[in-house]
Amino acid sequence: MKGKKRILTGQRTSGPRHIGHLVGTLRQYVALQDSHDCYFLVADLHALTTHYDRPCELSSNTLEVTADFLACGINPDKACLVLQSAIPEHAQLSLLLGMLAGVARLERNPTYKDQLRELKLQPSLGFLSYPVLQAADILLYQGEYVPVGDDQLPHLELAREIARRFNQLYGHTFPEPQPILSNMPRLPGTDNRSMHTSYGNAIFLKDTPEETTRKVMDMYTDPTRIHTSDPGHVEGNPLFVYLDQFDPDKEKVSKYKDAYLAGKVGDVEIKKHLAGVLNESLSSLREQRARLISKPDSLLDVLQNGTQRARAQAEQTYAEAARKMGILALNHKTIQGDTQ
């Protein structure tokens, strides 16, 4: 798309998307596709870092994430939806860039430490080098901007460092990608930790109204509030964080906050109201998603078409980077021993 700045971003196929993804990233993706040249990565290789022992889940989750992207409004006629593993240059460029990334630097990544602890993972080479593959994803398409939350800034800074190091050693090849910070707050999980697919604290876009209501009724609220008549805390209370994002009736939300602070409304009433708000807000998205997931061949076609459109750029960038690092290129005739 001539004249438009290029964006590369994506999400792991670690499971279906949740309402935290909707608020924090997916709505932003939809807005950006009109103003930028967007590549949205369905990042199945990244999912292997935590789900390598669940191959059946990985393949089905690829379709789940694709359906979530489309149901939220990503338009494959405007943006490229790229299946990461279908373009081998992602892994190949990651290997080359890994030569420029120190182990100590990777071990200082706060996300690496946090997820090892939260997910109780054994350290692996693949998990440690996750940010290098992420850098390769961005640089492979000459990505100029990357939409990120503040928790992903260390990853992007590493990508910038790698691009800068490569350019210094071999000549200018990659832009240093700049962040586009989301102005949307991150939704907490139902247990008030970060909402995460693997933490068991997410409300998924695919959840039924009954599942959503059950999760809301079990939500963490204000641990200092023992009785309904006790004054409650609104700040940092997930109930009100969700209402601020999903309830269009801001006046009603304000009245609920005042009543909660004064000890005049109970958690159960707020939770019932929130469950209704969420189910109403997500209703049309869920209907669209159900239609999409019922046609897996159509989802595969979307991935096939987007990946094919992205392939030429990936091949060109990798070939240039490999040549500059001294990797000898052989054509098919040479490999096959054809002397004609």
Side-chain angles (χ1 to χ4, degrees), residues 121-182:
L121 298 173
Q122 291 297 318
S124 70
L125 175 61
F127 192 74
L128 177 66
S129 62
Y130 175 105
V132 180
L133 178 56
Q134 197 171 57
D137 297 335
I138 299 165
L139 301 179
L140 191 61
Y141 299 101
Q142 302 289 317
E144 297 166 280
Y145 292 95
V146 182
V148 290
D150 54 8
D151 60 321
Q152 286 291 309
L153 282 174
H155 285 201
L156 184 59
E157 183 54 36
L158 179 65
R160 289 167 50 78
E161 290 174 13
I162 289 174
R164 190 159 52 244
R165 177 69 170 151
F166 191 101
N167 293 341
Q168 289 170 345
L169 286 172
Y170 307 112
H172 185 79
T173 308
F174 303 116
E176 292 184 31
Q178 303 295 320
I180 298 178
L181 285 171
S182 172

Short mmCIF file of all heavy atoms in Angstrom, two decimals, residues 121-182:
data_model
loop_
_atom_site.label_atom_id
_atom_site.label_comp_id
_atom_site.label_asym_id
_atom_site.label_seq_id
_atom_site.Cartn_x
_atom_site.Cartn_y
_atom_site.Cartn_z
N LEU A 121 7.07 -22.93 34.10
CA LEU A 121 7.73 -23.53 32.94
C LEU A 121 9.17 -23.90 33.25
O LEU A 121 9.82 -23.26 34.08
CB LEU A 121 7.72 -22.55 31.77
CG LEU A 121 6.36 -22.12 31.21
CD1 LEU A 121 6.55 -21.03 30.18
CD2 LEU A 121 5.63 -23.31 30.59
N GLN A 122 9.67 -24.93 32.58
CA GLN A 122 11.09 -25.21 32.58
C GLN A 122 11.73 -24.35 31.49
O GLN A 122 11.23 -24.30 30.37
CB GLN A 122 11.35 -26.70 32.31
CG GLN A 122 10.93 -27.62 33.43
CD GLN A 122 11.70 -27.37 34.70
OE1 GLN A 122 12.92 -27.16 34.67
NE2 GLN A 122 11.02 -27.38 35.85
N PRO A 123 12.82 -23.67 31.80
CA PRO A 123 13.45 -22.82 30.78
C PRO A 123 13.86 -23.64 29.55
O PRO A 123 14.37 -24.75 29.67
CB PRO A 123 14.69 -22.27 31.49
CG PRO A 123 14.39 -22.40 32.95
CD PRO A 123 13.54 -23.62 33.09
N SER A 124 13.59 -23.11 28.39
CA SER A 124 14.00 -23.76 27.15
C SER A 124 14.65 -22.73 26.25
O SER A 124 14.46 -21.52 26.41
CB SER A 124 12.78 -24.37 26.43
OG SER A 124 11.94 -23.35 25.91
N LEU A 125 15.43 -23.20 25.30
CA LEU A 125 16.06 -22.30 24.34
C LEU A 125 15.01 -21.53 23.56
O LEU A 125 15.14 -20.32 23.34
CB LEU A 125 16.95 -23.10 23.38
CG LEU A 125 17.59 -22.31 22.24
CD1 LEU A 125 18.50 -21.21 22.78
CD2 LEU A 125 18.37 -23.25 21.33
N GLY A 126 13.94 -22.22 23.16
CA GLY A 126 12.90 -21.56 22.39
C GLY A 126 12.21 -20.45 23.17
O GLY A 126 11.94 -19.39 22.62
N PHE A 127 11.96 -20.70 24.45
CA PHE A 127 11.30 -19.68 25.26
C PHE A 127 12.22 -18.50 25.52
O PHE A 127 11.81 -17.34 25.47
CB PHE A 127 10.83 -20.28 26.58
CG PHE A 127 9.89 -19.39 27.34
CD1 PHE A 127 8.59 -19.22 26.92
CD2 PHE A 127 10.32 -18.71 28.46
CE1 PHE A 127 7.71 -18.38 27.61
CE2 PHE A 127 9.46 -17.86 29.17
CZ PHE A 127 8.16 -17.70 28.73
N LEU A 128 13.49 -18.78 25.78
CA LEU A 128 14.46 -17.71 26.02
C LEU A 128 14.61 -16.83 24.78
O LEU A 128 14.72 -15.59 24.90
CB LEU A 128 15.82 -18.30 26.40
CG LEU A 128 16.96 -17.30 26.61
CD1 LEU A 128 16.69 -16.41 27.81
CD2 LEU A 128 18.29 -18.05 26.78
N SER A 129 14.61 -17.44 23.61
CA SER A 129 14.85 -16.68 22.37
C SER A 129 13.57 -16.16 21.73
O SER A 129 13.60 -15.66 20.60
CB SER A 129 15.62 -17.54 21.36
OG SER A 129 14.86 -18.68 20.99
N TYR A 130 12.44 -16.28 22.44
CA TYR A 130 11.17 -15.77 21.94
C TYR A 130 11.29 -14.34 21.42
O TYR A 130 10.80 -14.03 20.31
CB TYR A 130 10.16 -15.86 23.09
CG TYR A 130 8.79 -15.28 22.86
CD1 TYR A 130 7.69 -16.10 22.63
CD2 TYR A 130 8.56 -13.91 22.92
CE1 TYR A 130 6.41 -15.58 22.44
CE2 TYR A 130 7.28 -13.36 22.73
CZ TYR A 130 6.22 -14.22 22.49
OH TYR A 130 4.97 -13.69 22.30
N PRO A 131 11.95 -13.40 22.14
CA PRO A 131 12.03 -12.03 21.61
C PRO A 131 12.84 -11.91 20.33
O PRO A 131 12.64 -10.97 19.56
CB PRO A 131 12.70 -11.25 22.76
CG PRO A 131 12.48 -12.07 23.98
CD PRO A 131 12.52 -13.50 23.50
N VAL A 132 13.76 -12.84 20.09
CA VAL A 132 14.54 -12.80 18.84
C VAL A 132 13.64 -13.19 17.67
O VAL A 132 13.68 -12.56 16.60
CB VAL A 132 15.76 -13.73 18.92
CG1 VAL A 132 16.56 -13.68 17.60
CG2 VAL A 132 16.66 -13.34 20.09
N LEU A 133 12.83 -14.21 17.85
CA LEU A 133 11.86 -14.57 16.81
C LEU A 133 10.87 -13.43 16.60
O LEU A 133 10.48 -13.14 15.47
CB LEU A 133 11.13 -15.86 17.20
CG LEU A 133 10.04 -16.35 16.23
CD1 LEU A 133 10.58 -16.54 14.81
CD2 LEU A 133 9.40 -17.64 16.74
N GLN A 134 10.49 -12.77 17.67
CA GLN A 134 9.59 -11.63 17.56
C GLN A 134 10.24 -10.50 16.75
O GLN A 134 9.60 -9.86 15.91
CB GLN A 134 9.20 -11.14 18.95
CG GLN A 134 7.99 -10.23 18.99
CD GLN A 134 7.55 -9.99 20.43
OE1 GLN A 134 8.33 -9.50 21.26
NE2 GLN A 134 6.31 -10.31 20.73
N ALA A 135 11.53 -10.27 16.99
CA ALA A 135 12.26 -9.28 16.20
C ALA A 135 12.30 -9.67 14.73
O ALA A 135 12.10 -8.83 13.84
CB ALA A 135 13.68 -9.12 16.75
N ALA A 136 12.52 -10.96 14.47
CA ALA A 136 12.54 -11.42 13.08
C ALA A 136 11.20 -11.22 12.41
O ALA A 136 11.12 -10.84 11.24
CB ALA A 136 12.94 -12.90 13.05
N ASP A 137 10.11 -11.46 13.15
CA ASP A 137 8.77 -11.25 12.60
C ASP A 137 8.60 -9.82 12.11
O ASP A 137 8.08 -9.57 11.01
CB ASP A 137 7.70 -11.52 13.67
CG ASP A 137 7.68 -12.94 14.17
OD1 ASP A 137 8.10 -13.84 13.42
OD2 ASP A 137 7.24 -13.15 15.31
N ILE A 138 9.04 -8.88 12.93
CA ILE A 138 8.87 -7.46 12.62
C ILE A 138 9.76 -7.05 11.45
O ILE A 138 9.32 -6.45 10.47
CB ILE A 138 9.18 -6.60 13.85
CG1 ILE A 138 8.23 -6.92 15.00
CG2 ILE A 138 9.11 -5.11 13.50
CD1 ILE A 138 8.70 -6.39 16.35
N LEU A 139 11.04 -7.42 11.55
CA LEU A 139 12.02 -6.95 10.58
C LEU A 139 11.87 -7.62 9.23
O LEU A 139 12.22 -7.05 8.20
CB LEU A 139 13.43 -7.17 11.14
CG LEU A 139 13.71 -6.46 12.47
CD1 LEU A 139 15.13 -6.76 12.95
CD2 LEU A 139 13.49 -4.96 12.36
N LEU A 140 11.32 -8.83 9.22
CA LEU A 140 11.14 -9.56 7.96
C LEU A 140 10.26 -8.79 6.99
O LEU A 140 10.45 -8.88 5.77
CB LEU A 140 10.52 -10.94 8.26
CG LEU A 140 10.49 -11.96 7.13
CD1 LEU A 140 11.89 -12.31 6.65
CD2 LEU A 140 9.77 -13.22 7.60
N TYR A 141 9.32 -8.04 7.52
CA TYR A 141 8.40 -7.28 6.67
C TYR A 141 8.73 -5.79 6.67
O TYR A 141 7.92 -4.98 6.25
CB TYR A 141 6.95 -7.51 7.13
CG TYR A 141 6.59 -8.97 7.03
CD1 TYR A 141 6.59 -9.77 8.15
CD2 TYR A 141 6.30 -9.54 5.80
CE1 TYR A 141 6.30 -11.12 8.06
CE2 TYR A 141 6.01 -10.89 5.69
CZ TYR A 141 6.01 -11.68 6.82
OH TYR A 141 5.73 -13.02 6.72
N GLN A 142 9.94 -5.46 7.15
CA GLN A 142 10.36 -4.06 7.19
C GLN A 142 9.35 -3.23 7.99
O GLN A 142 8.99 -2.12 7.61
CB GLN A 142 10.52 -3.51 5.77
CG GLN A 142 11.50 -4.26 4.90
CD GLN A 142 12.95 -4.05 5.32
OE1 GLN A 142 13.35 -2.94 5.64
NE2 GLN A 142 13.73 -5.11 5.35
N GLY A 143 8.90 -3.80 9.10
CA GLY A 143 7.90 -3.13 9.92
C GLY A 143 8.43 -1.82 10.50
O GLY A 143 9.50 -1.80 11.11
N GLU A 144 7.68 -0.76 10.31
CA GLU A 144 8.08 0.56 10.80
C GLU A 144 7.46 0.88 12.16
O GLU A 144 8.03 1.64 12.94
CB GLU A 144 7.68 1.63 9.78
CG GLU A 144 8.38 1.46 8.43
CD GLU A 144 7.73 2.31 7.36
OE1 GLU A 144 6.68 1.89 6.82
OE2 GLU A 144 8.29 3.39 7.06
N TYR A 145 6.29 0.32 12.41
CA TYR A 145 5.58 0.57 13.66
C TYR A 145 5.01 -0.74 14.19
O TYR A 145 4.63 -1.62 13.41
CB TYR A 145 4.45 1.58 13.46
CG TYR A 145 4.93 2.97 13.14
CD1 TYR A 145 5.03 3.40 11.82
CD2 TYR A 145 5.30 3.85 14.16
CE1 TYR A 145 5.48 4.68 11.52
CE2 TYR A 145 5.75 5.13 13.86
CZ TYR A 145 5.84 5.54 12.54
OH TYR A 145 6.30 6.79 12.25
N VAL A 146 4.96 -0.81 15.52
CA VAL A 146 4.42 -2.00 16.17
C VAL A 146 3.48 -1.55 17.29
O VAL A 146 3.92 -0.88 18.23
CB VAL A 146 5.53 -2.88 16.77
CG1 VAL A 146 4.92 -4.14 17.40
CG2 VAL A 146 6.56 -3.25 15.72
N PRO A 147 2.19 -1.87 17.21
CA PRO A 147 1.29 -1.57 18.33
C PRO A 147 1.64 -2.45 19.52
O PRO A 147 1.70 -3.69 19.38
CB PRO A 147 -0.10 -1.92 17.77
CG PRO A 147 0.07 -2.04 16.30
CD PRO A 147 1.48 -2.49 16.08
N VAL A 148 1.89 -1.85 20.66
CA VAL A 148 2.29 -2.61 21.84
C VAL A 148 1.67 -2.01 23.09
O VAL A 148 1.35 -0.82 23.14
CB VAL A 148 3.83 -2.64 22.03
CG1 VAL A 148 4.50 -3.47 20.97
CG2 VAL A 148 4.41 -1.24 22.07
N GLY A 149 1.53 -2.85 24.10
CA GLY A 149 1.26 -2.37 25.44
C GLY A 149 2.59 -2.09 26.12
O GLY A 149 3.65 -2.51 25.64
N ASP A 150 2.53 -1.40 27.24
CA ASP A 150 3.79 -1.06 27.91
C ASP A 150 4.57 -2.30 28.36
O ASP A 150 5.80 -2.26 28.48
CB ASP A 150 3.56 -0.10 29.08
CG ASP A 150 2.54 -0.63 30.08
OD1 ASP A 150 2.11 -1.79 29.97
OD2 ASP A 150 2.15 0.15 30.98
N ASP A 151 3.87 -3.43 28.57
CA ASP A 151 4.56 -4.64 28.99
C ASP A 151 5.38 -5.26 27.87
O ASP A 151 6.27 -6.09 28.12
CB ASP A 151 3.55 -5.67 29.51
CG ASP A 151 2.53 -6.08 28.46
OD1 ASP A 151 2.08 -5.20 27.69
OD2 ASP A 151 2.17 -7.26 28.41
N GLN A 152 5.10 -4.87 26.61
CA GLN A 152 5.83 -5.41 25.48
C GLN A 152 6.96 -4.50 25.01
O GLN A 152 7.70 -4.84 24.09
CB GLN A 152 4.87 -5.66 24.32
CG GLN A 152 3.95 -6.85 24.51
CD GLN A 152 4.70 -8.17 24.45
OE1 GLN A 152 5.45 -8.42 23.52
NE2 GLN A 152 4.50 -9.02 25.45
N LEU A 153 7.11 -3.35 25.62
CA LEU A 153 8.16 -2.42 25.21
C LEU A 153 9.58 -3.03 25.31
O LEU A 153 10.41 -2.76 24.44
CB LEU A 153 8.09 -1.13 26.03
CG LEU A 153 6.99 -0.15 25.59
CD1 LEU A 153 6.91 1.02 26.56
CD2 LEU A 153 7.25 0.36 24.18
N PRO A 154 9.89 -3.84 26.35
CA PRO A 154 11.23 -4.46 26.37
C PRO A 154 11.50 -5.34 25.17
O PRO A 154 12.62 -5.39 24.67
CB PRO A 154 11.21 -5.27 27.68
CG PRO A 154 10.21 -4.58 28.54
CD PRO A 154 9.15 -4.11 27.60
N HIS A 155 10.47 -6.05 24.67
CA HIS A 155 10.65 -6.88 23.48
C HIS A 155 10.93 -6.01 22.27
O HIS A 155 11.81 -6.32 21.45
CB HIS A 155 9.38 -7.70 23.22
CG HIS A 155 9.22 -8.85 24.15
ND1 HIS A 155 8.42 -9.94 23.87
CD2 HIS A 155 9.74 -9.10 25.37
CE1 HIS A 155 8.46 -10.80 24.86
NE2 HIS A 155 9.25 -10.31 25.79
N LEU A 156 10.19 -4.93 22.13
CA LEU A 156 10.38 -4.06 20.98
C LEU A 156 11.75 -3.38 21.04
O LEU A 156 12.40 -3.21 20.01
CB LEU A 156 9.27 -3.01 20.90
CG LEU A 156 9.33 -2.10 19.67
CD1 LEU A 156 9.26 -2.91 18.38
CD2 LEU A 156 8.20 -1.08 19.71
N GLU A 157 12.19 -3.02 22.23
CA GLU A 157 13.50 -2.40 22.35
C GLU A 157 14.60 -3.37 21.92
O GLU A 157 15.58 -2.95 21.30
CB GLU A 157 13.73 -1.93 23.79
CG GLU A 157 15.05 -1.20 24.00
CD GLU A 157 15.23 -0.01 23.05
OE1 GLU A 157 14.25 0.67 22.72
OE2 GLU A 157 16.38 0.20 22.61
N LEU A 158 14.43 -4.65 22.23
CA LEU A 158 15.41 -5.63 21.76
C LEU A 158 15.41 -5.70 20.24
O LEU A 158 16.47 -5.79 19.61
CB LEU A 158 15.12 -7.00 22.36
CG LEU A 158 16.08 -8.11 21.91
CD1 LEU A 158 17.50 -7.82 22.41
CD2 LEU A 158 15.63 -9.47 22.41
N ALA A 159 14.24 -5.67 19.62
CA ALA A 159 14.16 -5.67 18.16
C ALA A 159 14.88 -4.46 17.58
O ALA A 159 15.58 -4.56 16.55
CB ALA A 159 12.70 -5.69 17.71
N ARG A 160 14.72 -3.32 18.23
CA ARG A 160 15.40 -2.10 17.78
C ARG A 160 16.92 -2.25 17.93
O ARG A 160 17.69 -1.85 17.04
CB ARG A 160 14.89 -0.90 18.57
CG ARG A 160 13.47 -0.50 18.22
CD ARG A 160 12.87 0.48 19.24
NE ARG A 160 13.75 1.60 19.50
CZ ARG A 160 13.89 2.65 18.70
NH1 ARG A 160 13.21 2.70 17.57
NH2 ARG A 160 14.71 3.64 19.01
N GLU A 161 17.35 -2.83 19.02
CA GLU A 161 18.78 -3.04 19.25
C GLU A 161 19.35 -3.98 18.18
O GLU A 161 20.46 -3.74 17.65
CB GLU A 161 19.02 -3.63 20.64
CG GLU A 161 18.75 -2.67 21.77
CD GLU A 161 18.85 -3.35 23.13
OE1 GLU A 161 19.38 -4.48 23.19
OE2 GLU A 161 18.40 -2.76 24.13
N ILE A 162 18.64 -5.05 17.88
CA ILE A 162 19.11 -6.01 16.88
C ILE A 162 19.18 -5.37 15.50
O ILE A 162 20.16 -5.55 14.76
CB ILE A 162 18.21 -7.25 16.87
CG1 ILE A 162 18.42 -8.07 18.15
CG2 ILE A 162 18.48 -8.11 15.64
CD1 ILE A 162 17.47 -9.24 18.32
N ALA A 163 18.14 -4.60 15.15
CA ALA A 163 18.15 -3.91 13.85
C ALA A 163 19.34 -2.95 13.77
O ALA A 163 20.04 -2.89 12.74
CB ALA A 163 16.84 -3.15 13.66
N ARG A 164 19.56 -2.22 14.85
CA ARG A 164 20.67 -1.25 14.87
C ARG A 164 22.01 -1.96 14.75
O ARG A 164 22.89 -1.52 13.99
CB ARG A 164 20.58 -0.44 16.16
CG ARG A 164 21.49 0.74 16.22
CD ARG A 164 20.99 1.76 17.25
NE ARG A 164 20.72 1.19 18.55
CZ ARG A 164 19.50 1.15 19.12
NH1 ARG A 164 18.43 1.61 18.49
NH2 ARG A 164 19.34 0.63 20.33
N ARG A 165 22.18 -3.06 15.46
CA ARG A 165 23.42 -3.82 15.41
C ARG A 165 23.65 -4.39 14.02
O ARG A 165 24.77 -4.34 13.49
CB ARG A 165 23.36 -4.94 16.46
CG ARG A 165 24.55 -5.86 16.49
CD ARG A 165 25.79 -5.16 17.00
NE ARG A 165 26.87 -6.12 17.24
CZ ARG A 165 28.15 -5.82 17.15
NH1 ARG A 165 28.54 -4.60 16.83
NH2 ARG A 165 29.06 -6.73 17.40
N PHE A 166 22.60 -4.94 13.43
CA PHE A 166 22.73 -5.50 12.08
C PHE A 166 23.14 -4.41 11.09
O PHE A 166 24.06 -4.60 10.28
CB PHE A 166 21.41 -6.14 11.65
CG PHE A 166 21.51 -6.97 10.40
CD1 PHE A 166 21.58 -8.35 10.49
CD2 PHE A 166 21.56 -6.38 9.14
CE1 PHE A 166 21.69 -9.13 9.34
CE2 PHE A 166 21.67 -7.14 7.99
CZ PHE A 166 21.73 -8.53 8.09
N ASN A 167 22.48 -3.29 11.16
CA ASN A 167 22.77 -2.20 10.23
C ASN A 167 24.20 -1.69 10.38
O ASN A 167 24.86 -1.33 9.39
CB ASN A 167 21.79 -1.05 10.44
CG ASN A 167 20.36 -1.41 10.04
OD1 ASN A 167 20.13 -2.37 9.30
ND2 ASN A 167 19.40 -0.65 10.53
N GLN A 168 24.70 -1.65 11.61
CA GLN A 168 26.07 -1.20 11.85
C GLN A 168 27.09 -2.16 11.26
O GLN A 168 28.11 -1.75 10.71
CB GLN A 168 26.30 -1.04 13.36
CG GLN A 168 25.58 0.14 13.99
CD GLN A 168 25.65 0.11 15.51
OE1 GLN A 168 25.98 -0.91 16.12
NE2 GLN A 168 25.31 1.24 16.13
N LEU A 169 26.81 -3.46 11.37
CA LEU A 169 27.76 -4.47 10.92
C LEU A 169 27.72 -4.68 9.41
O LEU A 169 28.76 -4.88 8.78
CB LEU A 169 27.48 -5.81 11.62
CG LEU A 169 27.89 -5.93 13.09
CD1 LEU A 169 27.35 -7.23 13.67
CD2 LEU A 169 29.41 -5.87 13.22
N TYR A 170 26.52 -4.65 8.83
CA TYR A 170 26.37 -5.12 7.46
C TYR A 170 25.81 -4.08 6.49
O TYR A 170 25.62 -4.36 5.32
CB TYR A 170 25.44 -6.35 7.44
CG TYR A 170 25.86 -7.43 8.40
CD1 TYR A 170 25.10 -7.74 9.52
CD2 TYR A 170 27.05 -8.14 8.20
CE1 TYR A 170 25.49 -8.73 10.41
CE2 TYR A 170 27.45 -9.13 9.08
CZ TYR A 170 26.67 -9.41 10.18
OH TYR A 170 27.07 -10.39 11.06
N GLY A 171 25.53 -2.89 6.98
CA GLY A 171 24.91 -1.88 6.13
C GLY A 171 23.41 -1.81 6.38
O GLY A 171 22.79 -2.79 6.81
N HIS A 172 22.84 -0.65 6.09
CA HIS A 172 21.43 -0.45 6.43
C HIS A 172 20.55 -1.46 5.72
O HIS A 172 20.57 -1.57 4.49
CB HIS A 172 20.98 0.96 6.07
CG HIS A 172 19.59 1.24 6.50
ND1 HIS A 172 19.25 1.54 7.80
CD2 HIS A 172 18.42 1.21 5.81
CE1 HIS A 172 17.95 1.70 7.91
NE2 HIS A 172 17.41 1.51 6.71
N THR A 173 19.77 -2.18 6.51
CA THR A 173 18.88 -3.22 6.00
C THR A 173 17.48 -3.10 6.59
O THR A 173 16.48 -3.27 5.89
CB THR A 173 19.44 -4.62 6.32
OG1 THR A 173 20.79 -4.71 5.87
CG2 THR A 173 18.60 -5.72 5.67
N PHE A 174 17.43 -2.80 7.88
CA PHE A 174 16.14 -2.79 8.59
C PHE A 174 15.84 -1.41 9.18
O PHE A 174 16.74 -0.73 9.69
CB PHE A 174 16.17 -3.78 9.76
CG PHE A 174 16.49 -5.19 9.36
CD1 PHE A 174 17.65 -5.81 9.81
CD2 PHE A 174 15.63 -5.91 8.54
CE1 PHE A 174 17.94 -7.12 9.47
CE2 PHE A 174 15.91 -7.22 8.18
CZ PHE A 174 17.07 -7.83 8.64
N PRO A 175 14.57 -1.01 9.16
CA PRO A 175 14.17 0.16 9.94
C PRO A 175 14.17 -0.20 11.42
O PRO A 175 14.04 -1.38 11.78
CB PRO A 175 12.76 0.45 9.44
CG PRO A 175 12.24 -0.88 8.98
CD PRO A 175 13.44 -1.62 8.44
N GLU A 176 14.36 0.79 12.28
CA GLU A 176 14.21 0.55 13.71
C GLU A 176 12.75 0.78 14.07
O GLU A 176 12.28 1.92 14.07
CB GLU A 176 15.11 1.48 14.53
CG GLU A 176 16.58 1.19 14.36
CD GLU A 176 17.45 2.06 15.26
OE1 GLU A 176 16.98 2.44 16.37
OE2 GLU A 176 18.59 2.36 14.86
N PRO A 177 12.01 -0.28 14.36
CA PRO A 177 10.55 -0.14 14.54
C PRO A 177 10.21 0.72 15.75
O PRO A 177 10.84 0.62 16.81
CB PRO A 177 10.09 -1.59 14.73
CG PRO A 177 11.30 -2.32 15.21
CD PRO A 177 12.48 -1.66 14.55
N GLN A 178 9.18 1.54 15.57
CA GLN A 178 8.73 2.44 16.61
C GLN A 178 7.43 1.91 17.24
O GLN A 178 6.62 1.29 16.54
CB GLN A 178 8.46 3.84 16.04
CG GLN A 178 9.66 4.46 15.35
CD GLN A 178 10.80 4.74 16.30
OE1 GLN A 178 10.57 5.18 17.43
NE2 GLN A 178 12.02 4.49 15.86
N PRO A 179 7.22 2.15 18.53
CA PRO A 179 5.99 1.67 19.17
C PRO A 179 4.80 2.57 18.88
O PRO A 179 4.94 3.79 18.74
CB PRO A 179 6.33 1.70 20.66
CG PRO A 179 7.33 2.82 20.78
CD PRO A 179 8.13 2.79 19.50
N ILE A 180 3.64 1.97 18.75
CA ILE A 180 2.37 2.69 18.83
C ILE A 180 1.72 2.19 20.11
O ILE A 180 1.22 1.06 20.18
CB ILE A 180 1.47 2.40 17.62
CG1 ILE A 180 2.13 2.88 16.33
CG2 ILE A 180 0.12 3.08 17.81
CD1 ILE A 180 1.31 2.58 15.08
N LEU A 181 1.77 3.02 21.14
CA LEU A 181 1.25 2.60 22.44
C LEU A 181 -0.27 2.68 22.47
O LEU A 181 -0.86 3.67 22.01
CB LEU A 181 1.84 3.46 23.55
CG LEU A 181 3.29 3.17 23.92
CD1 LEU A 181 3.81 4.24 24.86
CD2 LEU A 181 3.42 1.80 24.56
N SER A 182 -0.88 1.65 22.98
CA SER A 182 -2.32 1.65 23.14
C SER A 182 -2.72 2.61 24.25
O SER A 182 -2.06 2.68 25.30
CB SER A 182 -2.82 0.24 23.48
OG SER A 182 -4.19 0.26 23.80
#
